[in-house]
Every structure is written in structure tokens, then in C-alpha cells.
Amino acid sequence: MVATSVDYQARIPNNVGLSSDRRLQRALERWLPNYIDWWRTMGPEGFQEDSIYLRTAVSVEKSGWAHFDYVKMPDYRWGIFLNPTEEDRKIGFGDHYGKNAWDQVPGEYRNALRRIVVTQADTEPASVEQQRLLGKTAPSLYDLRNLFQINVEEGRHLWAMVYLLHSYFGRDGREEAEELLERRSGNPDKPRILNVFNEPIDDWLSFFCFAMFTDRDGKYQLGALAESAFTPLAATTRFMLTEEAHHLFVGQTGVERVIQRSCELMKGDIDYDVTNDGAIPLGIIQRYINRWYSLSLDLFGSEVSSNGATFFANSLKGRFQEQRRWDDHVGLEGSKMMSVVRDGAVATEEVPLRNAMNEVLRDEYIADCETALRSWNRTCKKAGLAFEFTLPDRKFHRHQGEYAGHFFNPAGELIDEATFAASQSEWLGSDEDRSYVKSVMVQVTEPGQFANWIAPPRRGINGNPVEYKYVQFDGHTRD
Ligand code: BYC
């Protein structure tokens, strides 16, 4: 067992017995002020002295793990929590299948595991940086609070990964932890590691698409790491997944509320132009979906990946819900048919299963995204509008892996660069689309009121009404 009972009174709340490991405790307490400095400079701009109605993790029990109250963000209790794991945990996949799981990092896998932890860790502060200006244009107090909830929890996920680095990777781990606070989203000299985390998120439709599509990659990556033979990583990511569900909810329902509002204004007339009312046309929403979905597909890595094969073989990273969904956990037998580009045409090739692990995970992700699309399309149908949102083909607009460097239309047909360039704005949004969306982003701070481009949610947070005062501007920092 890695987890102990929760010590919530400690400077760093935790259930990892921090008070009994003075060296680690001191190292993390030294990291804490650097983290707070980073939060104050790179976290949400303004609002730091305001009281936000936030959920804080206080326990790892399934019921009652969270506490809701008003908190000033810099005072948020960023803690380290691991889900308890079974006493006699066995390895569930790969070459070490069936052997005892590891409480320490095996020397031969140290570099690979550190790389996985650092890559995961890097996304967390990156997303906070990407979203730092959004508060100034929040469409309601409800949405403003949800943004900050996500931001503080991404901060806590960084803590979770930094705990692993400090605790299990010695001096290298401590150096990596420092660097996590030094890289900056979008900075050409010291960018974040994965491509999407360097893309600006400067309007709320982008934010909702990011929480829908990019956070959903997080669900699958964390799910795969939750299977790891390295128990501390599995236990940490399992608890992160508990928090992650809310982020996906914000994304999926956020996009849905934008669609719903436009549909309401269209009153069944597919030709009605909702820009008359400052709402967002369905065509623009589709283009934003195309962009954020295709960017997020890149996060699964190459279709054919020897790294992916090694991670699986070494029992470091499994498949999503490996135990529940798969029978063969060794993966030496099967194969996967994959579309590849050969001699200027798309061909099908058979790839050994282990080399296709990134693609296996991407398949699960795509199926999950399709479910959300069906729900959005029901919203259009209910409003009597013959409009269907679609996901572009997985080969469209890719920058990593097999399809990078080639050009595809959203239907997945190989095209030449000039044809792609000619239709790029129609598929991925134009400067005009983006400046229009930005132009309707106005800050609304009256409890229960919403900007005209978004419908209110069905219900409020934690049993409170939608018109609850989710943010109190004690600090008068909202402008
Ligand atoms: N951008 O075989 P390859 C989340 C690199 S999101 C830039 O293709 P591999 C969150 C790769 O590192 C979840 N580089 O792929 C969401 C490798 O580099 P090196 C984050 C990329 O190794 C919202 C090279 O290309 N978690 O939590 O299987 C808000 C060739 O490698 C990209 C994780 O990612 C890219 N998109 O990598 C907040 C889990 N893709 O070694 C949070 C940990 C690949 O040649 N990461 N490369 O220098 C991993 O498991 C793997 O590293 C990857 C795939 C999934 C990224």
C-alpha cells in the first residue's frame, strides 16, 4: 500500500505520509514558494484576491472526497493524494504480466518512466498558462468559477507529478520539477513539450473545445498510466481521473450550451444568421471542432510507434481499462490494420499490436468523442434544425505521426497542399471567424446572467442554483 490516511492539516495536505519523510517534505516545501510564484505570474490574471466557490480534494474516499467553499486561489490547498491500491498488486499487462507490481522505479526503466511523468506533468501548468486571460471575458459567474476550478485542479495535477519526480527520481527528478516551472506555453525559446499545449486559447469557444477534446486525451492517457506496473504512478493517476471528469463535463456541456443558444435564436430557420444577435453560427462551431479535435489527435503520438511498443512491453503504460476491456494482456499475438501513406497514396498495412498501442488508445478516444457529437446533434434536431456536426477523419490536419506532412480533406481523402491551403479557412476557421468570436466575448458578472452567445446550464454547482454567487469580487480585481 502506498497511501496512508489523509493529513489535511499539514502545509502540503497528503495521504503519502509526508511527515515521516523529512527529506522529501523539505524538498517539496522548497518547491512550494516557486510554485506559488509561478501561479501568481502565470496563473489566472486578476481574480487572485477574489473568493471563488471551489471544490478542494480532502480525501480519497469515493463518497465525500471533495469539500466546497469560498477560497482565494493562491490559498487553495494543493495536496498530494493517491488512490489506495490493492495490498498485493500484480502487474496487469506486458512482459511482466502477473509478477508483483513495483513500489520503486526499476533502474532499467528509470529514463522511460521519468519521460512519461515529465510529459504528463508538463501539460498541467501549460493548460493554466494557455487559459490565463479568459477570466476577463467570462460569460457568467458560473463559467468563471468552472474555469478556475479546472485551473486549480490542473495545478494540483502538477503537484501530483512533482511528488513522483521528487520522491522516486532523485536529483534528476528535482531538476525536472524545476524545469516544469520554467517552460512556458507558446514561448519559442522554452515551449511546452506537446504541440497543442503551445496553442493560444483566447476565447471561450476554444476553451470549451479544449476541455472537450484535449482534456479527453488526458482521460485516456491517465487511464493508460493508471494501469502501470509502477504503483505510485497508477495510484496518483487514478485519483487525478476523479477530478478530470468535471473538466470533461465543462467542455462537453460548454460546447453544447453554445450550440443550444444558437439553435434557440434560429427558431428552426437554418438560414437565420445568429450574428444578428451576437451568437455563434453553427458553421464556426464546426470549424472550431475540426481544429481542436485534430490538434488533440496528435497527442496520442505516432500511429506506428516503437516507443508505444516499449512502454507496453515494459509494463509501464497499458491500454485504457486494460483489465476490464481486454482478455489478452501480453499483446504479442495480434495485429492492427492501419492506413498509411505509401508512394503518394493511402494504403493499408498490418502492424503488430504492440507497435499500434498509440492507435488503440486513439480509437477509444475517437469513439468517446463521437458520443458527445451525437448529443450535440440531438440539440440541433430538437430545435428542428437540419444541421449535423461531424468529426473530421483522423488523417485530417495532423502534425504528428503517419499523416504529418501530407494533406487530407475532412473526409480523409489525400489532397495536394494547394487544395488544402485553398480550403483551410473553410475547414479550420478564418481570421474573420476568430475575430468575430472574440468580439462577442464580453464579461458578465451579474449572478444568474449569461452572455447572449451561450445558454445557461441545466443546474448549478453542488446543489446550488444557477444564479448562485459563484465568485465574490472581494479583491475588486475583475477589470
Ligand atoms: N507533440 O512514437 P511517438 C492531459 C514526440 S493530456 C510533440 O510518436 P510516443 C491534459 C514523442 O515525445 C495527456 N511531440 O510517440 C489535458 C517522441 O519524442 P522523442 C498528457 C510529440 O513516444 C488538458 C516523438 O514524438 N499525457 O493530461 O509514443 C489539460 C516520437 O514518439 C507529440 C501524456 O502525454 C506531440 N503531440 O509519445 C491538462 C502521457 N506526440 O522521444 C492536462 C505521457 C509525440 O523522439 N506521454 N511526440 O523526443 C506519453 O505517453 C507519450 O509520450 C505520448 C506519445 C502519448 C506523448
Side-chain angles (χ1 to χ4, degrees), residues 142-143 257 260-261 264 448 450-451 454-459 466:
Y142 166 91
D143 291 292
R257 288 164 51 215
Q260 190 189 328
R261 182 65 187 138
E264 281 164 9
F450 289 80
I454 187 163
R458 282 202 198 104
R459 59 186 74 86
V466 170

Side-chain angles (χ1 to χ4, degrees), residues 115-128 130-131 150 154 157 192-198 210-211 213-222 224-225 240 244 247 295-309 311 317 358 361 399-401:
R115 210 191 102 189
I116 289 176
V117 171
V118 168
T119 308
Q120 176 63 48
D122 189 69
T123 63
E124 315 289 0
S127 68
V128 175
Q130 286 170 292
Q131 296 162 16
I150 291 178
E154 300 303 6
H157 293 178
R192 292 294 173 183
I193 297 172
L194 298 175
N195 58 352
V196 189
F197 295 91
N198 290 304
F210 180 91
F213 293 114
T214 310
D215 273 274
R216 198 168 301 269
D217 165 59
K219 168 179 166 185
Y220 286 88
Q221 298 296 343
L222 292 172
L225 298 178
M240 289 160 76
E244 201 61 39
H247 308 185
L295 286 170
S296 303
L297 284 177
D298 279 336
L299 293 172
F300 291 82
S302 301
E303 282 62 23
V304 185
S305 167
S306 55
N307 285 340
F311 291 162
K317 184 179 171 191
N358 286 347
L361 202 58
H399 299 86
Q400 292 289 328

